[in-house]
Amino acid sequence: MGGCGDCTRGTGRVGREERDAVARGVRLYEAAQAVVGDHARAVEAVRTALKPIHDAAVKRELDAISVTRLQDVTEGRLRLGSVEREGFGTVGRVLETSPYRLRQIPGVGQRTVDQMLAAARQISQAVRETVAVHIDVDRPEPRTTALVMALHVLVEAGPPAQRAVERAAALPERLGALLADARSATGRFRLLLAGREKKARALAAVAEIRSLVDEAERSGLPELLAQASVDLLRGAPSDVAAWVDFELRSADYYSLLTEISGRLPDTAASEGFLPEEIAERVRAQQLDDAHRRVSLRGYQAFGARFVLAQRKVILGDEMGLGKTIQAIAVLAHLAAEGQSHFMVVCPASVLVNWTREIEARSALRVMVLHGPDRHYAFADWKGRGGVAVTTFDALRGLPTPGGGEVGMLVVDEAHSVKNPKTKRSQAVAVWAERCERSLFMTGTPMENRVVEFRNLVQMLDGAVADSLGERDALVGSVAFRKAVAPVYLRRNQEVVLTELPSLQHTDEWEELTESDEAAYREAVREGNFMAMRRAAYMRPEDSAKLDRLREIVREAGETGQKTVVFSYFKDVLGVVEAALAVGPTAGIPMFGPLNGSVPAARRQHIVDAFAEVPGPAVLVAQIQAAGVGLNLQAASVVILCEPQIKPTIEHQAVARAHRMGQVRPVRVHRLLATGGVDERMVRMLEEKSRLFDAYARRSAVAEATPDAVDVSDIELARRIVEEEQARLGVTGEGDAASA
C-alpha cells in the first residue's frame, strides 16, 4: 500500500505541474485566437467599407467606356450601330439592361445579345480587377469616412500588430492538437486511468506545451498579443482624427488598402523587370521587422529583400518611392541579425533628414559624424555602434574600416560619386570595398549615361561593370537590363503606386550655413520676424535651403516633372529665379513670378503657358497670389520655401496642384531650417494643423474665413522673436510688430 501511496502522491504532483503548464498553454492559445480573430474582423470591416466605393468606381469606369469596345473583345464580330442608336452607348448601360430589353433593339437577336453581354462582362471583370479607389480628402462623405475609419484601426495598430498576427497564425493549430493530447495529464485520476500509450502521449504533449510557452514568454509574445488585441479593438477617436491621420500617413493607408483589396501593381513592374532567377532569390529572402517602426509597401519590401539578397547594389527607384525607408528596413533587418555598425553617406543638405528618418522609422541608434566634433562622435560610434550618418567630404577624413566591421554602407545621392577621379568618389570606393554590403541610392536615371553608370557599378561589382557595353545602354534595352540586374533595381511611380494620384509631404530640414546663421542672427537682433523667416535666402552664394531647392528642381527636371515654387516673399522668389537660371537647372523653362501685382487674367495666361510646355518647367509664385483660385495640376512637385504662419495657406497652395485632373502623384517639399524660427513655427502650429485646422477646412464657414481659425500673426511673431532673442542671447533692437 505504501508503494501505491507514493505513486499516488507523485502522480498528484505531476498533475498539478501539468495543469499549470496546460493552463499557460490555453491562455496562449486563446490569446493567439483572439488576435487572429480581431485582425480578421478589422480586415473584413475594411472590405465591407470598400465594396460600395469600389462598386461605384467600377460603374463610373464602365459608364465611360464606349460600347464600341465590345467589338475589340469579339474581334469585330458584333454589329452595334442599332445598339448605339437606341441609347446604349456605353458598356455600363449594356450591363444594367435586361437581356429582354436588349432583344427589343431592331436587328439584335438572342445570339448577339449573348455575345454582347459576355463581352461586356469580360470588360467589367477586367475593370473590377484593375480600378483603384482614390480617397478624396477634400470631399469626405459618409462612405469614404467609413473606409478611412476602418483603415485607421489597422494603420494605428501598425507593424507590431501585423507581427503579432503572423506569429499567432500558426499557434492555434499547433497548440490545439497538443492541448487535446495533454488533456489526460490535467487531472490526477485522468492520468491514473489513462493507458500507457495515452499517458506517454499526454506527458510528451505537456512537455512540448511547456517548452513552447516558455519560449513564447521569453520572446515577449503574450505581451505582444495582448497589446495587438487592444490596438485592433480600439477605433478612431473621431472621424476628424481619422481623416487627419490619413492626410499625415496616406501611404500607410493606401498600402493597406492595396493589400486588402488584392489590386496589387503589376508584379514584373514592381520587381523592376528582373530576370526570374534573381527575382526568385529575392522573394525567398527573409525580412525581419523587429527593429522597424514603419510598414512597407509590397514593392518596398521587395526592394529591401533585393538589397539583402544581392549584397552590393544600386537602388535607382524614381524619386518619391521611398528609397530611404527601404534602406532603413535593410538596416533594421541586419541589426536583428546581430550587426552593430552601419554607415550612411549623404550630401550635407539631407543629413538632418536621414537622422530624423532613422529615429522615426526604426529603433536603431543614430550618430551624426559632422562638424568639428565628428572625430569624437566617430570614436563613440565605433565603441557603441548604431547608424553613423556623415557627408561625402567628412567621410574622407574618417579612418577606413577593416573587413567585416561595418554591416552595411549606404550612399545616398550616389550619382555624386560617378566621377572616379574625385576624392569623394575614391573615399566611397574604399569604404565599399571594405564593407560586405553596400547600397547606392539615386533617383537619377543613370542607365542613360552608361559611362557614369559603369563607374558606380565598378565600386560594387567589377565583373558586371566590365560586361556593360555602350550598345547595351539603349533606353529599355533588354540586354542592358539583364546585364545590370544583379546590381541594379529601378521602379517608376506610375506602375507601382496604384492609387494615383497620391500626396506625399516631406519636411526638408536643413542646417544653416555660417552665412545663413549670420543673416539670421542679425534679423533676430533687429527683432524683425519677417527678416528672420527669409534670412536663409538673403545670402544666396552660401544658402543651405537654396542648395536643396536646386537639387529638388534638378531631380524633377531629369524625370520630366514640372515644379511650382511657393514663397510668401517677393525677394525670396527673385533669389530663387536667379539661382535656377544658372548651373544644372539653367535649361529648364521658367515662368512667373506670380504675385499680387499680376492681374488675374495675366496669372491664368502664365499658368496655361506653364502647363503647355512639354517636359519639365518651373513656376515661381507668391503663395498668397497663386495659392488660391488657380489650378496648377500640371505640377507634380511643390516646393514651399518656408513654413507659413497660417496652415490654411499651405493647404490651399498644395490643393492647387493636388486636385481633380492631376495624373501624377504630388510631392510637397517644405524647406525648413533647424534650431530657429522655422522649428518654433512648426512646433507651435502642429496641433492646429493636424486636428482643429483639419476640421475647420471641412467647414464652409471656416473655408470662407480662414483668419477665424488660425493663430494670431502678431502674437505668434512676438512669441517667436522673444524666444529666439533669449536663445541667441542678443538684445532686441526692434519690435516683433515689424512682422
Side-chain angles (χ1 to χ4, degrees):
M1 291 292 291
C4 290
D6 291 341
C7 180
T8 302
R9 284 193 296 274
T11 304
R13 285 194 298 273
V14 171
R16 285 194 297 273
E17 292 173 1
E18 310 313 326
R19 280 197 301 273
D20 176 64
V22 171
R24 291 166 64 209
V26 168
R27 287 195 293 273
L28 184 61
Y29 173 83
E30 291 175 344
Q33 276 195 316
V35 165
V36 172
D38 294 338
H39 183 261
R41 282 186 288 276
V43 169
E44 187 56 35
V46 172
R47 289 196 175 111
T48 300
L50 174 62
K51 188 178 186 309
I53 301 173
H54 183 249
D55 288 347
V58 170
K59 185 178 187 306
R60 285 194 300 272
E61 188 79 10
L62 292 172
D63 286 343
I65 298 175
S66 171
V67 72
T68 57
R69 286 284 303 279
L70 299 179
Q71 290 182 323
D72 299 337
V73 178
T74 61
E75 298 179 352
R77 291 193 301 270
L78 288 174
R79 297 293 179 264
L80 300 170
S82 58
V83 175
E84 287 187 89
R85 285 193 295 273
E86 287 291 313
F88 299 94
T90 68
V91 173
R93 183 79 174 88
V94 168
L95 283 169
E96 66 188 15
T97 304
S98 69
Y100 174 79
R101 175 65 186 89
L102 293 174
R103 285 197 302 271
Q104 308 309 304
I105 300 173
V108 174
Q110 184 63 51
R111 183 180 177 185
T112 300
V113 169
D114 291 343
Q115 290 178 331
M116 190 162 50
L117 288 176
R121 292 188 189 107
Q122 188 174 337
I123 291 175
S124 176
Q125 184 60 32
V127 169
R128 188 165 293 279
E129 291 174 357
T130 57
V131 71
V133 168
H134 175 63
I135 300 173
D136 193 338
V137 297
D138 293 322
R139 296 176 179 81
E141 44 94 13
R143 291 187 303 184
T144 53
T145 297
L147 177 58
V148 168
M149 294 185 73
L151 285 166
H152 177 83
V153 173
L154 291 165
V155 171
E156 189 67 17
Q162 186 61 43
R163 195 156 54 243
V165 171
E166 290 170 359
R167 294 185 63 183
L171 279 176
E173 183 177 353
R174 184 178 176 190
L175 266 176
L178 291 172
L179 290 171
D181 286 343
R183 187 172 181 273
S184 298
T186 59
R188 182 174 54 185
F189 294 109
R190 283 199 189 99
L191 193 59
L192 282 169
L193 295 173
R196 180 178 299 176
E197 184 180 338
K198 191 172 184 181
K199 184 185 297 185
R201 189 166 64 249
L203 293 175
V206 169
E208 192 170 348
I209 290 170
R210 184 184 292 115
S211 175
L212 195 154
V213 174
D214 285 347
E215 174 59 31
E217 290 177 350
R218 280 194 297 270
S219 67
L221 181 58
E223 294 81 4
L224 181 66
L225 297 180
Q227 186 60 54
S229 277
V230 169
D231 292 340
L232 289 167
L233 292 172
R234 183 191 297 124
S238 69
D239 58 346
V240 172
W243 273 109
V244 171
D245 192 58
F246 171 77
E247 291 190 55
L248 294 172
R249 298 190 283 177
S250 61
D252 292 342
Y253 281 77
Y254 274 123
S255 179
L256 268 171
L257 188 60
T258 300
E259 181 181 334
I260 291 172
S261 68
R263 280 173 285 281
L264 300 172
D266 178 73
T267 300
S270 65
E271 295 180 351
F273 301 100
L274 292 176
E276 185 58 27
E277 65 273 14
I278 295 178
E280 279 188 16
R281 183 163 62 250
V282 172
R283 294 182 206 119
Q285 169 68 48
Q286 296 299 307
L287 187 60
D288 195 313
D289 66 352
H291 296 303
R292 182 165 24 98
R293 294 177 181 150
V294 61
S295 297
L296 301 179
R297 295 189 173 202
Y299 75 87
Q300 291 173 333
F302 184 87
R305 289 187 170 95
F306 175 81
V307 176
L308 290 166
Q310 299 301 101
R311 304 183 76 83
K312 292 194 173 188
V313 301
I314 300 172
L315 182 60
D317 285 346
E318 193 174 25
M319 185 171 53
L321 291 182
K323 292 188 290 294
T324 302
I325 289 174
Q326 293 174 69
I328 291 171
V330 175
L331 297 176
H333 172 93
L334 293 173
E337 285 192 338
Q339 296 282 352
S340 58
H341 291 72
F342 310 100
M343 177 65 73
V344 174
V345 188
C346 61
S349 60
V350 295
L351 191 108
V352 176
N353 279 345
W354 265 102
T355 59
R356 292 186 180 221
E357 284 292 295
I358 293 169
E359 289 171 343
R361 311 288 188 176
S362 77
L364 303 179
R365 178 176 180 267
V366 61
M367 173 70 67
V368 176
L369 310 184
H370 186 55
D373 296 329
R374 61 181 177 277
H375 293 289
Y376 296 106
F378 179 84
D380 184 31
W381 167 73
K382 193 165 184 178
R384 298 172 60 194
V387 184
V389 184
T390 192
T391 64
F392 290 106
D393 292 335
L395 183 73
R396 291 164 47 198
L398 299 178
T400 54
E405 288 183 18
V406 178
M408 187 167 79
L409 169 70
V410 177
V411 181
D412 193 12
E413 304 291 346
H415 51 270
S416 300
V417 293
K418 61 183 180 288
N419 183 355
K421 296 180 180 179
T422 63
K423 291 182 178 180
R424 63 167 52 181
S425 297
Q426 293 163 5
V428 167
V430 171
W431 274 76
E433 183 181 1
R434 299 285 180 86
C435 296
E436 291 187 7
R437 297 178 185 274
S438 297
L439 168 59
F440 287 9
M441 296 162 48
T442 175
T444 301
M446 296 294 295
E447 62 265 40
N448 294 332
R449 308 168 187 174
V450 70
V451 174
E452 296 173 355
F453 185 82
R454 188 194 291 119
N455 292 338
L456 290 182
V457 175
Q458 186 70 49
M459 298 186 204
L460 304 172
D461 191 319
V464 172
D466 293 341
S467 72
L468 296 181
E470 293 286 353
R471 289 176 297 178
D472 294 333
L474 299 175
V475 177
S477 165
V478 175
F480 180 76
R481 283 282 184 183
K482 187 174 181 179
V484 301
V487 298
Y488 184 62
L489 177 66
R490 179 176 174 85
R491 280 79 55 89
N492 298 319
Q493 287 180 337
E494 64 269 20
V495 294
V496 297
L497 293 183
T498 56
E499 79 281 356
L500 296 179
S502 64
L503 180 64
Q504 176 186 327
H505 288 270
T506 301
D507 281 347
E508 304 275 358
W509 290 95
E510 309 297 330
E511 290 190 58
L512 294 177
T513 64
E514 289 185 12
S515 181
D516 291 335
E517 286 277 11
Y520 181 72
R521 183 177 286 270
E522 182 178 340
V524 172
R525 184 179 292 108
E526 294 172 354
N528 188 329
F529 179 64
M530 291 303 195
M532 289 163 58
R533 291 182 61 202
R534 62 185 190 271
Y537 297 94
M538 292 302 96
R539 299 182 181 180
E541 66 279 0
D542 189 22
S543 166
K545 279 193 179 184
L546 201 57
D547 285 347
R548 181 58 184 145
L549 186 149
R550 278 192 289 244
E551 288 177 5
I552 295 169
V553 171
R554 175 186 59 77
E555 291 171 0
E558 288 177 343
T559 52
Q561 298 177 80
K562 289 182 169 63
T563 303
V564 57
V565 180
F566 286 119
S567 176
Y568 183 86
F569 305 100
K570 289 183 179 180
D571 52 357
V572 169
L573 293 178
V575 169
V576 168
E577 279 190 284
L580 294 179
V582 297
T585 56
I588 300 176
M590 186 94 58
F591 296 85
L594 288 180
N595 54 49
S597 63
V598 177
R602 174 63 181 160
R603 292 184 203 178
Q604 187 60 58
H605 178 76
I606 293 173
V607 170
D608 292 343
F610 167 70
E612 289 166 6
V613 169
V618 178
L619 172 68
V620 294
Q622 203 169 6
I623 200 164
Q624 312 95 301
V628 179
L630 293 174
N631 295 336
L632 304 175
Q633 62 262 44
S636 54
V637 177
V638 176
I639 299 175
L640 303 173
C641 290
E642 69 284 318
Q644 303 305 308
I645 295 177
K646 295 181 176 69
T648 49
I649 294 177
E650 288 189 12
H651 294 315
Q652 290 166 348
V654 172
R656 296 311 99 204
H658 187 251
R659 59 188 298 111
M660 191 68 69
Q662 177 59 257
V663 295
R664 301 191 68 176
V666 175
R667 295 194 310 282
V668 181
H669 300 266
R670 183 167 61 165
L671 302 180
L672 302 168
T674 59
V677 61
D678 290 358
E679 202 156 85
R680 292 185 184 278
M681 286 179 68
V682 169
R683 187 168 62 247
M684 287 181 177
L685 294 168
E686 185 177 22
E687 189 63 20
K688 178 175 290 294
S689 179
R690 289 188 176 185
L691 287 172
F692 181 61
D693 187 53
Y695 169 76
R697 284 188 293 111
R698 288 170 179 79
S699 158
V701 175
E703 192 70 45
T705 57
D707 290 343
V709 298
D710 284 308
V711 173
S712 161
D713 294 13
I714 300 298
E715 178 59 24
L716 181 77
R718 180 175 290 111
R719 284 164 57 191
I720 291 177
V721 168
E722 290 173 353
E723 289 176 9
E724 283 299 280
Q725 287 179 339
R727 181 178 73 86
L728 296 176
V730 300
T731 303
E733 298 175 2
D735 191 284
S738 61

